[in-house]
Amino acid sequence: MKIMVIGGSPTAESRTRGIAQYAAEVLREMNVEVLFFDVGNDILPLFTGDESTAQNEVVKKLSAYAEEADGFFVTSPEYHSGISGALKNALDFLGGKHFRNKPSAIAVAAGGGKGGVNALTNLRTVLRGVYSLVLPDQYVADPVAFDEGNVLVDELAQTRVKELATQLKDLTELVSKK
Ligand SMILES: Cc1cc2nc3c(=O)[nH]c(=O)nc-3n(C[C@H](O)[C@H](O)[C@H](O)COP(=O)(O)O)c2cc1C
């Protein structure tokens, strides 16, 4: 089974990446093959609809990983009550061809307080738009869940990401029969 983990933050120092890296680690421990794509390291051009962008090496990597994947673990920061523009740009290169009938787990890094739910709802809506089967469970990590290097160190946060990864693996197994 292959799961594509998407880091959805464009920043160099990213808490979202901390969630994505932890999810990837946990999935690998469950013997899942991880296809890791991070919009902050895998720099995509702006989606314009121009067919020439299909030849871009990073666009090719994104499409190949998404096509190969049986399921997705998608992460984003909450920016202005939504997902990052960089993640939305990446998802605009993809569509139902890549996501239809494939499960997704979603998790967000937010600023604390009551932040994060709007980005989760936004991400859920976008993934519904590409016909992914988004798990009902979801997770927001506040800044306190990370150490100074943006590693997800909080025990409860780790448990919640593990739970999401387990649910994702189980549903992907059911749906893809792998
Ligand atoms: C442009 C911008 C907008 C933000 N908007 C929100 C917001 O609406 N709600 C929130 O809880 N946090 C907001 N934050 C805080 C980020 O969600 C938080 O710092 C998060 O950890 C950033 O993730 P990253 O380090 O992976 O980019 C915002 C941060 C930035 C830079």
Side-chain angles (χ1 to χ4, degrees), residues 9-11 13-17 77-82 109-112 115-116 143:
S9 174
T11 61
E13 305 291 326
S14 163
R15 296 191 189 106
T16 304
R17 191 166 302 124
E78 176 161 290
Y79 287 167
H80 304 323
S81 303

Side-chain angles (χ1 to χ4, degrees), residues 129-148:
V130 290
Y131 293 93
S132 181
L133 307 172
V134 188
L135 288 171
D137 199 6
Q138 56 190 15
Y139 179 63
V140 177
D142 287 344
V144 290
F146 303 86
D147 70 9
E148 283 171 8

